Amino acid sequence: DHTKVQNLHLWHTKLRKLKKCFFVLANKLTISHFVMDHITKDKMQNLNNKVNSFFSNINALASLIFRFGIGVAFIIHGAKKFPLPPQGLIEYFGLSPMLASTVALSELLTGLVLIISGFIKNPLGNILTRLSGLNITILMITILIFAHKDWFFTTKLFTSEQIFLLIGGIYFLIKGNRT
């Protein structure tokens, strides 16, 4: 009986020591995690502030690059349809020579106006940018409906140039010249 009591007492002492070690370990892990988490958050915030500071100096450049990309794409698409009237549009879609020429001129001029209007820093530039965005949106929806209706809700649509031109048109329609 005495041996059982001693064994129980020994076992109880070992458990208390183990419990103490467990709490010390748990506290160390918690403190370590808190300190590391705090240091990591501070470092990430510091890095984020530096990146934001760097790009804040060139923020307007992003919109300008996007404007040039969309504008040049439309200039190229319109110019490829010259000489007027564009026979490809007339034959493939059965458009009248007048309508086919209007499409070609509309694409070319929309691209030019989109680029130029970005440099006009008054309400006229803003309106011209929004009108270019509206025209791009109308053209791209029309093109998708008549030339690529089999693309709707397929991977072909979302991997095509056309969807990105449509998104660009919507962007400039909504945003105008605000950077």
Side-chain angles (χ1 to χ4, degrees):
D1 218 21
H2 181 66
T3 310
K4 284 183 180 179
V5 171
Q6 277 184 331
N7 283 341
L8 213 66
H9 183 49
L10 186 62
W11 189 66
H12 180 59
T13 308
K14 283 183 180 180
L15 277 177
R16 278 187 21 202
K17 284 182 182 177
L18 188 61
K19 186 177 174 184
K20 212 182 244 185
C21 286
F22 174 76
F23 282 117
V24 167
L25 179 63
N27 284 338
K28 274 188 168 182
L29 288 174
T30 304
I31 291 168
S32 175
H33 175 71
F34 174 76
V35 169
M36 289 305 293
D37 190 43
H38 187 67
I39 290 170
T40 304
K41 283 182 181 177
D42 286 346
K43 284 183 179 179
M44 288 304 294
Q45 187 61 47
N46 188 21
L47 177 62
N48 188 46
N49 290 342
K50 286 179 181 178
V51 170
N52 285 342
S53 175
F54 173 77
F55 283 109
S56 70
N57 296 326
I58 56 172
N59 189 28
L61 193 58
S63 186
L64 186 64
I65 291 168
F66 192 46
R67 179 184 299 271
F68 268 95
I70 299 293
V72 168
F74 266 85
I75 291 168
I76 291 169
H77 280 286
K80 284 185 352 186
K81 293 174 176 70
F82 279 72
L84 298 179
Q87 291 304 311
L89 288 178
I90 294 169
E91 292 167 10
Y92 189 79
F93 294 107
L95 301 178
S96 70
M98 181 66 168
L99 183 56
S101 296
T102 302
V103 168
L105 286 170
S106 176
E107 288 177 354
L108 180 75
L109 292 174
T110 294
L112 286 170
V113 171
L114 181 63
I115 291 170
I116 293 167
S117 64
F119 296 100
I120 302 172
K121 301 297 179 195
N122 60 34
L124 176 63
N126 190 51
I127 295 294
L128 289 174
T129 294
R130 288 180 190 274
L131 287 173
S132 295
L134 177 63
N135 196 46
I136 290 169
T137 302
I138 291 169
L139 280 168
M140 294 317 302
I141 289 172
T142 304
I143 288 166
L144 287 169
I145 289 171
F146 289 104
H148 306 294
K149 60 182 153 221
D150 56 322
W151 289 6
F152 281 97
F153 306 110
T154 66
T155 56
K156 183 68 176 168
L157 174 65
F158 294 101
T159 58
S160 71
E161 171 191 11
Q162 285 79 2
I163 193 70
F164 295 104
L165 293 173
L166 172 61
I167 291 167
I170 294 168
Y171 172 85
F172 287 110
L173 173 61
I174 293 169
K175 191 160 174 103
N177 274 358
R178 291 177 293 138
T179 55

